Amino acid sequence: MSEITTITLGISNLFLVRDKGLLLVDTGTDATREKYVELFSKLKINPRDIDLIVISHGHSDHFAHVHELKELTDAPVLCHKNAVDALKTGKNPKVIPRNELGERVLEMILKNEPILCQTVEPDIIVESMFDLNQYGVAGKIIYTPGHSDCSITVLLDSGEAIVGDMVVSSPLTGNACAAYFANDEKALFNNIRMLLEHAHTFYSGHGGPFSRKQILKLV
Ligand SMILES: [Zn+2]
């Protein structure tokens, strides 16, 4: 049975998935190698025991410190094929607001300093589905575009899903909302509906986790 630990670093969450194997999903922001060392030691984890680093999508607040984590853990880095450029160049692809909240958040982001990213060469590039059992975790990775064209979801057999920014906590109300940035709104909602058939808990990159009941209100 897998166990998910959520750690908020800076403006985003990273996740540890403990099963027979150990996965790390995303990197958080505002972190340093020392901060990760301290974090893993608090959690009684030897970073070298981490089997795989999964990047939910190619936005810098999710992969900013993948370089430091790869060095520290010596684990392979996995991302979707459409996220490869972002990881290799450290550059954020353009985000597209799909509503007023998105416009407002984009305005705030543009006012702030950009998140600096060290680049990394991904080791495992996925397109549609990837079985995590080979890394000792009962579950799979599925392609769930909508928020971005490179968004993937870690779907565990236990019915928990780590969904990146597919659903997030609204910066205005704190409630669950569907991604306010989307390059394909139809795909975003189709994938939320699809996941509702398989997942009872949605772990988000920002805030959360959210229950199926909370997510059902969004579609
Ligand atoms: Zn994002």
Side-chain angles (χ1 to χ4, degrees):
M1 186 79 177
S2 341
E3 182 199 333
I4 300 178
T5 307
T6 306
I7 300 138
T8 305
L9 271 182
I11 60 164
S12 44
N13 293 330
L14 71 89
F15 304 92
L16 273 160
V17 182
R18 278 185 247 220
D19 199 329
K20 285 190 203 88
L22 190 55
L23 294 193
L24 189 61
V25 183
D26 288 346
T27 72
T29 63
D30 301 336
T32 56
R33 190 188 166 98
E34 291 69 38
K35 206 161 172 178
Y36 288 123
V37 169
E38 199 188 306
L39 183 74
F40 292 137
S41 132
K42 262 194 205 152
L43 293 166
K44 299 192 172 33
I45 285 172
N46 178 348
R48 298 270 156 176
D49 289 342
I50 290 170
D51 299 294
L52 180 67
I53 301 170
V54 176
I55 300 299
S56 67
H57 62 295
H59 289 165
S60 53
D61 51 333
H62 296 260
F63 73 84
H65 301 291
V66 64
H67 179 89
E68 291 94 314
L69 281 169
K70 187 175 156 81
E71 268 191 0
L72 193 63
T73 62
D74 204 26
V77 172
L78 177 151
C79 70
H80 188 262
K81 78 170 169 38
N82 297 341
V84 172
D85 269 2
L87 267 66
K88 278 167 84 167
T89 62
K91 287 199 185 109
N92 234 343
K94 205 171 159 211
V95 294
I96 303 162
R98 69 168 187 88
N99 55 19
E100 205 191 315
L101 178 58
E103 307 272 359
R104 286 172 66 174
V105 176
L106 183 59
E107 229 171 82
M108 290 189 311
I109 292 174
L110 293 175
K111 272 187 208 149
N112 292 336
E113 289 290 310
I115 296 167
L116 290 179
C117 305
Q118 285 201 51
T119 56
V120 82
E121 184 84 39
D123 305 285
I124 302 169
I125 295 162
V126 299
E127 282 197 49
S128 53
M129 213 275 274
F130 184 85
D131 187 353
L132 288 169
N133 283 285
Q134 56 194 305
Y135 284 93
V137 172
K140 59 191 170 187
I141 286 172
I142 52 175
Y143 180 43
T144 49
H147 168 63
S148 70
D149 69 353
C150 57
S151 295
I152 52 178
T153 291
V154 174
L155 178 59
L156 301 177
D157 293 352
S158 55
E160 289 160 307
I162 302 174
V163 302
D165 287 352
M166 176 191 282
V167 290
V168 294
S169 175
S170 160
L172 299 183
T173 64
N175 295 333
C177 66
Y180 39 79
F181 297 137
N183 71 341
D184 186 340
E185 193 169 15
K186 196 171 162 211
L188 172 70
F189 282 97
N190 281 343
N191 280 318
I192 296 174
R193 279 187 213 100
M194 178 275 294
L195 266 187
L196 277 166
E197 287 172 24
H198 304 282
H200 56 70
T201 310
F202 289 58
Y203 288 81
S204 165
H206 307 280
F210 306 115
S211 65
R212 176 189 272 144
K213 205 171 153 193
Q214 285 171 293
I215 302 302
L216 267 170
K217 290 183 193 154
L218 310 180
V219 294

